Amino acid sequence: MDFDFTWLLWGLPVAFGLGWIASRLDLRQWRIESRQAPKAYFRGLNHLLNEQQDQAIDAFIEAVQGDPETAELHFALGNLFRRRGDYDRAVRVHEHLLSRDDLNRKDRDRAQHALALDFLKAGLLDRAEAALLKLQGSAFESEAFLALLAIYERARDWSQAKAIAIRLDEVEQGSFAPRIAHHLCEEAEQAQRSGDPATARTHLEEAVRRAPQVARGWVALSALRAQTGDTSGAYEALTQLATHAPQALPLAASTLVDLAKQCGRQAEAVRLLETFDERAPSIDVTEALAQLAKDPDQARQRYLNHLAREKSLVLAAHWLKEEPLSDPLAKERVQAALEQASAPLRRYRCAACGFEARQHFWHCPGCQAWDSYPARRVEEI
């Protein structure tokens, strides 16, 4: 039986027509989806610009559902979840990105960094640490190290914090020598508490070698030497403080006086304190000079000299305490009033966050900043 080519002639146009119809249907569907996805995306941006985060999240979810393979939309959605405080959903979004095999290295590192930020914001420090450590060798390495440094300092893991700060210092991400010096001082305190003064001394000597401009190292080294009976060495440490970090001398002025008396170097201490006092009058330095005065009249004159240059309720109360008045009861009442009024003025205030405290802190308990407390009282700022 011969094949009838007539059917072929009819079949080719029919097949061509069906193919054309199918392509038009696919093209129409593609156009509908391409119009819907940008609309949802731009609607989300509009809500975001208007600070309507809930509506923006709904719009971005719609956009992601329309095109689940779009990485940028996932990043936008994850960041919105994090900003809103919905850390669980942010983690799920970024973990989903990391599970994709088609994600390139750049986006994978970006997703890893975003995941670490999710854990960090949620307070899951152990998981944040593990996520940040995976970013070594990536474009986010420096940011990861800075975040790790904050984690280790918050956890008071000073050896790890010091190691990270040294690495940051080596790659020239700014000078981290002062921070390293504080970490060494913290390690020295831990060694002292565990009864190991030799290790503590080693840490402190390294601290002043790395960052002589950090006053804490000299103050702590002086205290350690004094505890071991090296009074002269303790005094020398404070003279080095006056050389390398003179702005912090008021913090150690009283201790300097005590050490000078013990090793018979009062005259030298007076010259040192007077030199500082001439440049920048200080309540603590004036009090220290008054302690070194030969008699009460000289001590009162120290207070009056300071008051002539700068008004101070704190020193006015000290002057009144040394001044003999005809009515002892009146003197007592006036002095009590002055001391009460001047008590808040003796505080120290963090220059970064304004947190006030009666004692000086090297590490602000409010904002966690290092060396943010000036060596001057609130009244002097």
Side-chain angles (χ1 to χ4, degrees):
M1 179 179 176
D2 296 333
F3 180 76
D4 189 357
F5 286 95
T6 306
W7 291 103
L8 182 60
L9 295 175
W10 282 102
L12 286 174
V14 170
F16 176 78
L18 291 174
W20 182 83
I21 292 172
S23 66
R24 297 298 296 176
L25 289 174
D26 289 342
L27 181 61
R28 182 183 178 189
Q29 181 65 26
W30 177 81
R31 286 177 177 173
I32 291 173
E33 291 177 354
S34 64
R35 284 197 300 268
Q36 287 177 345
K39 282 184 179 179
Y41 179 73
F42 289 119
R43 189 166 64 251
L45 285 178
N46 183 53
H47 289 311
L48 188 60
L49 291 172
N50 292 324
E51 298 184 357
Q52 297 171 328
Q53 293 191 14
D54 292 340
Q55 292 89 332
I57 286 174
D58 293 337
F60 280 125
I61 289 175
E62 180 183 342
V64 169
Q65 290 173 344
D67 189 2
E69 300 304 316
T70 304
E72 288 298 331
L73 291 178
H74 283 77
F75 281 121
L77 188 58
N79 291 337
L80 274 175
F81 281 141
R82 190 194 312 127
R83 287 181 58 185
R84 189 170 176 244
D86 197 347
Y87 302 119
D88 290 340
R89 298 175 76 181
V91 167
R92 286 201 297 270
V93 169
H94 294 131
E95 285 182 338
H96 169 70
L97 278 172
L98 288 171
S99 68
R100 285 172 48 177
D101 295 330
D102 61 335
L103 205 64
N104 59 51
R105 178 59 185 272
K106 181 180 178 181
D107 284 340
R108 186 169 297 278
D109 290 340
R110 184 180 170 190
Q112 184 68 39
H113 180 249
L115 181 64
L117 292 180
D118 296 337
F119 291 139
L120 196 60
K121 292 290 186 181
L124 303 173
L125 300 185
D126 53 343
R127 299 183 69 179
E129 178 187 359
L132 289 167
L133 288 172
K134 294 179 181 179
L135 290 168
Q136 295 187 53
S138 72
F140 295 93
E141 184 179 62
S142 296
E143 296 177 37
F145 281 163
L146 287 171
L148 282 169
L149 180 59
I151 289 175
Y152 292 139
E153 287 182 347
R154 185 173 174 182
R156 303 186 68 79
D157 188 346
W158 303 116
S159 60
Q160 291 273 40
K162 181 183 67 177
I164 292 293
I166 290 174
R167 292 191 63 174
L168 285 168
D169 197 60
E170 290 173 349
V171 297
E172 297 182 353
Q173 291 293 321
S175 176
F176 282 82
R179 205 127 167 196
I180 296 169
H182 281 292
H183 298 157
L184 287 164
C185 290
E186 293 287 351
E187 287 186 303
E189 288 185 6
Q190 290 178 343
Q192 282 185 277
R193 285 194 293 269
S194 61
D196 189 359
T199 300
R201 180 187 291 269
T202 301
H203 287 318
L204 292 175
E205 288 175 349
E206 184 182 353
V208 298
R209 179 184 60 80
R210 281 184 174 271
Q213 74 277 18
V214 176
R216 184 183 185 181
W218 297 112
V219 172
L221 184 60
S222 173
L224 181 61
R225 288 175 177 175
Q227 288 175 9
T228 56
D230 185 7
T231 306
S232 181
Y235 179 84
E236 288 296 335
L238 294 186
T239 60
Q240 290 295 316
L241 165 69
T243 301
H244 296 288
Q247 74 283 353
L249 184 59
L251 296 175
S254 179
T255 305
L256 180 74
V257 169
D258 293 337
L259 293 172
K261 290 179 178 178
Q262 293 178 38
C263 58
R265 302 171 73 171
Q266 293 95 320
E268 182 181 336
V270 168
R271 288 194 297 271
L272 178 63
L273 293 172
E274 284 182 338
T275 300
F276 180 90
D277 189 58
E278 289 174 2
R279 294 197 308 265
S282 163
I283 292 174
D284 293 287
V285 171
T286 300
E287 289 178 342
L289 285 169
Q291 293 178 36
L292 289 170
K294 297 177 181 179
D295 53 59
D297 289 337
Q298 190 179 35
R300 288 195 298 271
Q301 191 59 46
R302 292 285 188 187
Y303 296 135
L304 290 175
N305 291 341
H306 185 105
L307 292 172
R309 290 180 293 172
E310 291 188 4
K311 303 298 184 287
S312 170
L313 277 175
V314 174
L315 291 185
H318 282 301
W319 171 83
L320 185 62
K321 184 177 181 180
E322 300 294 335
E323 183 68 19
L325 296 179
S326 58
D327 188 346
L329 180 59
K331 174 186 174 182
E332 181 181 349
R333 291 174 179 174
V334 173
Q335 184 180 347
L338 279 173
E339 289 179 353
Q340 182 177 353
S342 63
L345 303 177
R346 294 187 64 87
R347 292 174 175 266
Y348 295 98
R349 179 187 296 153
C350 175
C353 69
F355 186 88
E356 292 187 6
R358 285 183 292 181
Q359 70 180 82
H360 182 276
F361 286 103
W362 303 108
H363 194 200
C364 178
C367 65
Q368 305 299 308
W370 291 99
D371 283 326
S372 59
Y373 277 83
R376 295 182 172 275
R377 311 282 181 166
V378 169
E379 188 181 43
E380 300 175 285
I381 298 176

